[in-house]
Amino acid sequence: MTTHYLVLSALLFVIGGVGVLVRRNAIVVFMCVELMLNACNLAFVTFARQNGNLDGQIIAFFVMIVAAAEVVIGLAIIVTIFRTRRSASVDDVNLLKY
Amino acid sequence: MGETITFWVLAVVSVTAALGLVFSRKAVYSALMLGTVMLSLAVLYAVQDAPFLAAVQIIVYTGAVMMLFLFVLMLVGVDSADSLVETIRGQRFWAIVAGLAFAALLGLGVGNAVLAAPKGLEAVTAKGNVPSLAELIFTRYVFAFEVTSALLITAALGAMVLAHRERTAPKPTQKDLSRARFVEYAEHGRNPAPLPGPGTYARHNAIDMPALLPDGSVSSLSVNRVLARREAAEGTLAPEILAALEAEDRETEERRREKSEEPARHHANGANGSGPNGSSSDGAASNGAAGVGHAAPDDAAAPVEESRATAPEKGEEAE
Amino acid sequence: MEPAKIIEHAGGVIGVSWLLIALPLLGAAVLLLGGRRTDRFGHLLGVATAVASFVVGVLVFLQLLGFDPAERRRVVPLYDFIPGLVDPMGLLIDPLSISFVLLITGVGSLIHIYSIGYMAHDPNRRRFFAYLNLFVAAMLLLVLADNYIGLYVGWEGVGLASYLLIGFWQHKPSAATAAKKAFIVNRVGDFGLAIAIFIIFTTFNTVSFAGVMTSGADASQGSLTAIGLLLLLGACGKSAQLPLQSWLLDAMEGPTPVSALIHAATMVTAGVYLVTRSGAMFFPEGSTAAIAVTIVGVATLLAGAIIGTAKDDIKKALAGSTMSQIGYMMLAAGIGPAGYAFAIAHLITHGFFKADMFLGAGSVMHAMNDEVDMRKYGGLRKVMPITFATFMIGYLAIIGFPLLSGYFTKDGIIESAMEHNATLGWLAVLGAGITGFYMSRLVFMTFFGKKRWEADAHPHESPAVMTWPLIILSAGSIVLGGYLILGNRFMTFLAPAVGLPEHLPSFHPFSVAGLVTLALVAAGAALAWFKYGAGEVPVTAPRGSFLTTFARRDLYGDAINEALFMRPGQWLTRLAVFFDNRGIDGLVNGLAAGIGGTSGRLRRVQTGFVRSYALSIFVGAAILVGAWFVVGNL
């Protein structure tokens, strides 16, 4: 059963990763990042049960905390950028280049 | 057996939802899909002897984080749809290739791993899942836990700093706003008064009934354009309303032609947007003479997302 | 007999023999550093230091004569530079070096005195005397040093003085060019000398003459030959021997006293001194190096003589003669102990009669508005009687007129050469015959025949300050040869320094070679008389035959140098410049341009699109995971 969870976790992770790469709406990109984090959490929880200790769950807990903080900051940045550039597209923020 | 059924159901649901998250054009749908995935995962956590995490997942993610996402989405523009036309050459192809390769690698790794039967958490959660976790968090991981509190405070402060906007001009008083309304009226003929409510002088109080002017004709200001469009599509729009709307559109067109050097734009949107049907009325008006029967929300939102490709239009239409 | 042991000496005049060098050096320093303040008495100070040095030399000579012949090689230690590594610097006082000292200071003093008159009207006379003093000091260091490094310092010092004096009239481009030419050609020889000294040091672990003599046995024949040939190269450069002869004729651009002192009497004979000094060790009889010396000597004596026949410039004709006479000395020095004494004796007598003739030529030029073309002289014997008389004595001495100096010394060389190798001997005889022709030509064109003077020429006899040195030098030209050679007086005197041959030569006044020589000289003189003395001498030189052109152009020496060294050198320089511009600069610039261009293209990767960066991170992560799998499965 563990393998199934891990494969599911991997699938969700890859879908999230591809989403990060192909979507341009910054908010959707952010959601995809959250999806990847959740996929990792699933793997942690699965391994916690597999190995018979609670450390995996603790780590998943911390990941959630960090993700929450990250979302706060990330969305604040998105709002700030949107306010100045009237756009939520990640491709519009491309001034730092050659 | 129960777990297997739960897993397969939720696996299918979560993967589908994840794919939906990636491929849906509208950000709101994506957010809902993400919520679905998170809820599914919460159940999977619960199935895997992690009830605390399942609760936290629902409270923190589905509750707080998703609310934040939706909040920002509303702020940025709820009807913003993502154009699925790729602008960076090769990006999509290579993203998919890399994704497949990565998935294959992960699958290979997982498939190659030799796993014994799960040990289960019964032994370590003898006191119950939450007390056991609490014990660990406040003993072995107490330092990390304290650090996360600092992190959260920092994040809150950072969000405040980032979102804060210095006021560069004095706050407009009621007098200023009123003066601006009348300046607008003098220059563009915009009605300085609040929009009339529907059916003010009518025998009906239904929202689709227009207000009548003293001469009994329809006041186009009171017509909800969205409803009018829908009724026009259905063919149930009253002819006098249609006539009133067309007359107004003609008038607007003439004004625009007169001031061709200064495009007739609605500068003080907020001034007369307080009416019950202001927002959509403005949207229809801004789309020019075609007026009725136009897919306003989609068109108005698309440039926000496609602004890279259509930069010159952005200033006009994103408003 | 082998040369005597070198012993250390202290006390007496020999103990302060460093004064020999110090006095003229002090004079040069005062005159050069003092500047215009010393203009008024500069020439007198210059003469005084030279004469004082001569006096010290005579005193040293007298003290040396007081020792037993076997103890006549004395080293005066001066200074130990790096104890244990380099030999201490000292002065070697022995019959060979004292002979040179007397020649240098004696003839040098006379030429200093002569120069007072000759340079009277030159605004830079003080500087001229400073250089002359510098030359005397350097030349004395050259002959007095007891090791090769000291000798090398003096060697370069005289080279410097020679350069400065040839280019003394540097406002003339020809003089400046001649000075540069002399310096550069001398560099070639000096390189040979320097490398020879390096090899000596590595082979013997010492550079002192005494050290080389005592530890010479364990050196390989190859390195000895190499040292000998390199020393010969150095000698060729300094003594204007083939193939480094080309600078001497151009060096006549310098003032005439310089030509007399440096380019006739002393400096150009340094090569002979070097060969003689190193003879016992590096030029033993029959060795490759010694044979090379004799061949170089014979070739040069013939070449110089041929050049002398065609020159119309009186100084260049004398310069050719100098080359030729030094060729005789080299020939004698290459023969070995049998020839050393004749080489040095001829060197000394040549120093007298050639200085006499150069100064005589200077006197003539002084009288003829610095005209050097003999075709514009003629009939000067009546207006310049003293110059004519002294010049005639020098002339008779050099062609080997019986009982004059050259007769004894040159005949000695020819006799020893004849004994050594008949071919060399007969070639030397032939050279003597040519000498008779070209010297007679010179004398007849200058002092006899009709006047072919320029319109504004008003020849007159030179002042006493110039004629007295001539008289003294001509007196030496008369008696010195006979005194030195008869009874092997000079040979026995020199023996402690250079050794003795197994059987002492005896002087035969009527040997076959001597008679043939006399006959050839007489024939040459007669030919010259018919051609130049009795007949008309055209004022402009006739075109002449191929042979004349050959001789006039210095046997194409300059042309050969230009073709062999100058042009390939220029090509090489151009090639190097081309290689530098295109090759090295091209490489560096190309590298810079390549890096710049590559960077310009690579920076386009920085599109500013976050998603591109994310894609590279993702691909990188995938590759890392893949690599981890691969490595983990190995």
Side-chain angles (χ1 to χ4, degrees), chain A residues 13 17 20-24 90-91 93-94 96-98, chain C residues 603-611 613-616 618:
Chain A
F13 184 86
V20 169
L21 297 182
V22 298
R23 294 306 296 263
R24 270 175 294 167
V90 289
D91 285 359
V93 192
N94 65 345
L96 187 64
K97 60 181 175 184
Y98 50 84
Chain C
R603 83 194 167 99
R604 298 272 157 194
V605 172
Q606 299 286 324
T607 53
F609 292 127
V610 181
R611 292 189 297 137
Y613 305 158
L615 178 60
S616 10
F618 196 60

Side-chain angles (χ1 to χ4, degrees), chain C residues 5 44 104 120 164 166 187 199 307 378 393 461 533 537 549 617:
Chain C
K5 275 253 186 311
L44 299 177
I104 294 159
L164 292 171
I166 295 171
R187 289 278 74 68
I199 302 178
I307 291 172
I393 293 168
E461 185 54 276
V537 177
T549 314
I617 295 172

Side-chain angles (χ1 to χ4, degrees), chain A residues 4-5 14 21 23-24 31 34 38 41 46 49-50 52 54-55 57 64 67 72-73 80 82-83 91-92, chain B residues 3 22 24 45 48-49 57 61 76 82-83 85 91 99 116 119-120 140-141 155 162-163 165 307-308:
Chain A
H4 293 90
Y5 283 112
V14 170
L21 297 182
R23 294 306 296 263
R24 270 175 294 167
M31 291 179 195
E34 293 302 318
N38 273 291
N41 275 353
T46 306
R49 189 171 67 147
Q50 172 72 22
L54 283 174
D55 292 335
Q57 293 192 8
M64 284 179 192
V72 169
I73 296 296
T80 312
F82 181 79
R83 202 187 276 156
D91 285 359
D92 280 351
Chain B
E3 189 190 344
V22 173
S24 72
Y45 294 167
Q48 291 199 83
D49 300 335
Q57 171 88 356
Y61 266 122
V76 169
D82 205 355
S83 161
V85 178
Q91 171 80 9
K119 284 187 184 160
R140 193 194 300 174
Y141 294 101
L162 281 171
R165 182 159 49 174
S307 51
R308 260 181 49 74

